[in-house]
Amino acid sequence: MTHLAAAAKRIALMTLATLVCGTASAQHDRLGLEGATALDRGRNLFDWVWEPTTLPKAQGRADGLGPMFNARSCSECHHQGGSGGAGSNARNIDIVTARPADAGFTPFGGYAFSYSFRFVNGRFEYRFGNGADDAAGRAREEMTRRLDPALLAQVHEGFRQSPSVVLHKFSTDEAYRDYRRTVPGSHGDFVVDLSQRNTPSLFGTGAIDRIDDKILLNQAARQRLLGMGGRVARTADGRVGKFGWKGQKATLREFVEEAAAGELGLETPNKHQGADPRGPAAAAPGLDLGKDQIDAITAFVASLPRPVRVESESIRSGQRLFRELECSKCHVPNLGGVEGLYSDLLLHDMKPDVRESGQYQVFGTSIAVDPGADADSAARADEWRTPPLWGIRESAPYMHDGRSPGLEHAILEHGGEAEASARKFSRLGEAQRDQLIRFLKSL
Ligand code: HEC
Ligand code: HEC
């Protein structure tokens, strides 16, 4: 390359650098509070790739991404079919659950006993049943077992707050990577199991947020009359839970704020950034996101359009099968005026095949809540909220941990209350199975 050409190239590179920086700062201006609409600001924040100490410093000093995080942006996980969509298994959230070493697995997989936890006087109480419990009776064998939280905390500080905690994939501290490997597995008196949650699609969540609690309560009452066990999920403070695989959050805004704090490690007004499990939480230097910014992200998520149905003659027979197999008992087509949702938003007992952790927390994001009398109202290990089926054609893989690459597999994984439906499906001929799948893909 001649000297002149090299100089020209250098100038070109400098211009490019100016352009790139220019774009970044223009984007940052939009993240600042001037000008753009809340929706634009929300979209930018949803797609914003965070770095440690990345602006915007919402108020005062901020440290951006981390110290604990699972990804660098919301859309890194929620991306299929556009910002806000579902995510691949590579982005699953890891959850670790402590249990006594002798509450083992059966030879067929799954736990020998159903169990639930409550936090009583600073200790966890483990309650075991024979799995034959239902919402009405709860006539189950009980066995109480206490594990010392100080012992559990030697493995993960978060076990002081909850028997199930998020095991973050990353930390801004390099040494975390080696520590992380030591958490799952056997620890003498207790065992730490690893489970996962797959990223759901957020399209249409605004409509779910607007469904009145009464609709869910009525739905549960109706199911009780039909002899079904669907029940309303309750948060620790007794509200109706509508969001999350376990129905663990009451409102979209709360979920958004928790995701910012838990997934990205951003300090927010109501949630602390996720803390390092190797030690007590160090306070964040300031807010990473302010109230207006959480509002903006929520407005953006709520504005994501609901999936559009593809109507055609060829789905009629599949639609009929969906009713005949009683899929629609749980996957209710229209709920509270929300057409095409295909969910009752209630918890159902799916039995051991899909059983794992109960509710989980992100260490450090909030003060431990004593669920007290409401401990039984939060989802148990084998209960899951019926996921809406709208947009299902774009949200693979399926089920709470993304275990099913395709729809057929997902249906065959249904157990417990849905086992009869799944069995009927397995007896269909190939042509009829295809019809049902074609219908699902039209939702
Ligand atoms: C590491 C991947 C990941 C990142 C990053 C992430 N999410 Fe999620 N998101 C998930 C998973 C997994 C769930 C399901 C969690 C559960 O229910 O236990 C979820 C659930 C949600 C839900 C509830 C949806 C429903 O219908 O129940 C909302 C709302 C949400 N995320 C918003 C956000 C926002 C806003 C951000 C950015 C601040 C974000 N998420 C970042 C993986 C991610
Ligand atoms: C008793 C209630 C119930 C019945 C009946 C039922 N389901 Fe489900 N369905 C659920 C629950 C709960 C889940 C989530 C389970 C999990 O993630 O472990 C689910 C998950 C799914 C999924 C995966 C959704 C996703 O986003 O990952 C599909 C697809 C599905 N069901 C289709 C069907 C079909 C088709 C039928 C009829 C053959 C059916 N279901 C019957 C409750 C039910």
Side-chain angles (χ1 to χ4, degrees), residues 70 73-74 77-78 93 197-198 200 202 244-245 248 252 255 360:
N70 280 325
S73 69
C74 304
C77 296
H78 294 278
I93 295 173
R197 295 288 188 277
N198 182 246
L202 305 179
W245 287 104
Q248 68 267 34
L252 187 58
F255 214 119
Y360 64 90

Side-chain angles (χ1 to χ4, degrees), residues 86-211:
S88 71
N89 279 341
R91 294 284 170 271
N92 282 1
I93 295 173
D94 289 328
I95 294 164
V96 281
T97 302
R99 65 175 165 89
D102 53 354
F105 286 92
T106 66
F108 315 106
Y111 296 105
F113 297 100
S114 73
Y115 64 107
S116 60
F117 314 91
R118 53 171 90 207
F119 196 61
V120 186
N121 302 328
R123 311 193 116 217
F124 287 109
E125 213 173 88
Y126 289 74
R127 308 198 318 150
F128 293 88
N130 59 9
D133 51 337
D134 57 32
R138 302 274 162 79
R140 59 184 167 184
E141 251 178 80
E142 277 197 19
M143 180 175 119
T144 302
R145 170 89 180 224
R146 289 162 188 275
L147 277 179
D148 183 1
L151 194 72
L152 300 181
Q154 288 172 9
V155 173
H156 193 299
E157 190 62 29
F159 287 142
R160 273 191 214 279
Q161 295 178 351
S162 166
S164 288
V165 285
V166 168
L167 182 65
H168 282 102
K169 289 226 154 80
F170 311 105
S171 166
T172 46
D173 176 6
E174 285 279 306
Y176 174 76
R177 218 175 28 201
D178 293 331
Y179 155 79
R180 191 181 186 279
R181 283 194 213 107
T182 67
V183 179
S186 171
H187 298 273
D189 283 350
F190 65 96
V191 174
V192 175
D193 295 320
L194 186 70
S195 56
Q196 298 200 323
R197 295 288 188 277
N198 182 246
T199 312
S201 160
L202 305 179
F203 289 103
T205 37
I208 297 175
D209 205 25
R210 287 189 295 274
I211 295 177

